[in-house]
Amino acid sequence: SGYGYSGGRARCFAFWQEFSKCYASADTPSQCTSQVEDYIECLHHRKEIARAFEIKEQHMKNVAHQNKESRKVAQVLSEGVITNVGLISKREDEGSTKE
């Protein structure tokens, strides 16, 4: 009908008009695949939702990687500076405290 919820034009009406104009002038319906895809995307937002999911997934991977790296840094800092320099190995340090 072309009318939206508030009485104005529907949000996808422009895409529908492009599709119907293409369909009326095309020899075969397969010539209008891009217009059909645009109209369907406007209605359902499948590509937009898939893209948002991919972005969120990559963000979660980046956060997990950053957390892993910060845990490594915290562990190195908690072990002490002398151990990290390599002057005293961990095994020698542990052995001398037990005796």
Side-chain angles (χ1 to χ4, degrees), residues 77-88:
L77 291 175
S78 71
E79 291 174 352
V81 178
I82 296 174
T83 305
N84 292 335
V85 174
L87 299 175
I88 302 174

Side-chain angles (χ1 to χ4, degrees), residues 18-46:
E18 287 180 27
F19 167 68
S20 61
K21 185 181 358 175
C22 176
Y23 191 76
S25 64
D27 294 331
T28 60
S30 62
Q31 293 174 334
C32 301
T33 55
S34 64
Q35 287 84 359
V36 170
E37 288 177 6
D38 290 343
Y39 179 63
I40 297 297
E41 176 59 26
C42 181
L43 288 175
H44 303 292
H45 303 286
R46 289 184 180 141

Side-chain angles (χ1 to χ4, degrees), residues 60-72:
M60 296 303 287
K61 286 180 183 178
N62 291 346
V63 168
H65 180 70
Q66 289 173 351
N67 288 342
K68 185 177 178 182
E69 291 298 318
S70 61
R71 270 188 255 129
K72 287 180 183 178

